Amino acid sequence: MPVPAVNPFKQKLLRGEPQFGLFCMSLTAQTAEALSSCGFDFLMFDAEHTPTSLPTLYTQALALAASTTQCLVRMPSLDPVLFKPVLDLAIDTVMVPNIRTAEEARAAVRAVRYPPHGIRGVGGSVRATGYGRHADYYAVAADRVCLLLQIESAEGLRNLDAICAVDGVDGLFIGPVDLATDMGHLAQATHPQVVEAALDGVRRIRAAGKAAGILAAEAQAAMYVDAGANVVCLGSDLGVLVRNADALAARWVRAEQAP
Ligand SMILES: O=C(O)C(=O)C[C@H](O)[C@@H](O)CO
């Protein structure tokens, strides 16, 4: 079973190339495979806000294996136990939600690193090691693994410089919906105060030398790219599906049923 020697998502990140993708809230390998031919740089399978499971993530990772679209997972939380099977599945890029302090950032780094730099346990016959065939995996794992931390609170933004300074953090990803909510603008990601805070966050992240990510609707994406964002989630798979299905239905079903 071929296991890539490098993490193409991280390589592009290090080169500063912008990457575009979608959150994946759907739970099937079939959808992941269908989307893998769109040409997105990545799909971010969401284990925070979906009832996904490790076997589901495994089949979705397999569905992307033949494509250039990289498989990313948003973890449900900072719980270090949960990182082990995801990384062992050779899902090399993980994003941790709602990081608020440098101490939490350091805990996330420890979760993805083997001792003495962290607490990741050693899996033997797992996908990441080619089921035990690639003993050199352990030595290169820190280079392969890419760690993104989500900033989605005013506290996280206040501590942004300290979080950016944590060694082992590759990128910071602003979650504008939760940030808006934390700022008192319930789920209003495009509220002017939220946009201003997110733009300022993106600029500070890039100035600190880290990759800057954000979730942005198409209408806002260029503004964030211009500010320096280089990992952009353009929405979600189910968002795209529902919006287009609703529009199609509105053009036909309701029109046909109108008296
Ligand atoms: O706060 C945000 O924005 C996010 O973290 C993204 C959301 O969880 C969700 O809209 C992703 O589909």
Side-chain angles (χ1 to χ4, degrees):
M1 191 224 82
V3 172
V6 293
N7 176 347
F9 178 84
K10 187 171 182 176
Q11 285 190 316
K12 275 195 194 174
L13 216 65
L14 292 172
R15 290 198 295 269
E17 289 177 33
Q19 302 189 72
F20 299 90
L22 289 178
F23 272 107
C24 278
M25 315 303 283
S26 60
L27 303 172
T28 71
Q30 184 190 39
T31 308
E33 185 183 39
L35 291 174
S36 74
S37 295
C38 293
F40 286 115
D41 296 293
F42 65 88
L43 295 177
M44 174 96 71
F45 296 97
D46 191 4
E48 185 192 11
H49 285 297
T50 73
T52 194
S53 65
L54 290 164
T56 298
L57 291 173
Y58 171 52
T59 60
Q60 290 170 319
L62 290 184
L64 299 192
S67 81
T68 56
T69 301
Q70 299 302 303
C71 177
L72 280 54
V73 166
R74 173 162 67 175
M75 303 298 298
S77 75
L78 188 50
D79 181 347
V81 172
L82 305 174
F83 288 76
K84 290 186 275 187
V86 172
L87 296 173
D88 286 347
L89 279 175
I91 297 171
D92 288 333
T93 303
V94 289
M95 184 163 88
V96 190
N98 203 13
I99 294 294
R100 291 169 178 259
T101 64
E103 185 44 50
E104 287 181 350
R106 281 190 283 275
V109 174
R110 284 195 296 277
V112 301
R113 292 278 172 94
Y114 291 121
H117 305 293
I119 57 170
R120 179 179 174 189
V122 175
S125 298
V126 296
R127 186 166 182 259
T129 66
Y131 299 100
R133 295 184 183 93
H134 308 306
D136 55 340
Y137 168 78
Y138 308 109
V140 299
D143 291 332
R144 266 179 54 163
V145 169
C146 181
L147 180 63
L148 306 178
L149 305 181
Q150 253 193 301
I151 304 294
E152 21 189 10
S153 66
E155 184 184 10
L157 282 181
R158 275 196 304 278
N159 293 323
L160 190 58
D161 298 339
I163 294 170
C164 285
V166 173
D167 195 34
V169 174
D170 297 293
L172 290 304
F173 185 106
I174 307 233
V177 185
D178 280 306
L179 177 62
T181 303
D182 190 63
M183 290 173 68
H185 307 296
L186 186 61
Q188 294 175 60
T190 56
H191 188 287
Q193 283 175 5
V194 178
V195 171
E196 191 188 338
L199 285 169
D200 180 60
V202 166
R203 293 191 188 104
R204 285 164 62 200
I205 293 165
R206 291 310 302 277
K210 303 277 164 140
I214 192 146
L215 168 68
E218 204 176 357
Q220 272 80 47
M223 169 182 69
Y224 287 118
V225 171
D226 289 347
N230 53 351
V231 177
V232 182
C233 261
L234 293 162
S236 77
D237 57 349
L238 292 188
V240 170
L241 174 71
V242 167
R243 249 190 336 275
N244 283 286
D246 279 351
L248 186 61
R251 284 195 299 275
W252 289 91
V253 183
R254 286 161 219 160
E256 286 297 301
Q257 288 169 355

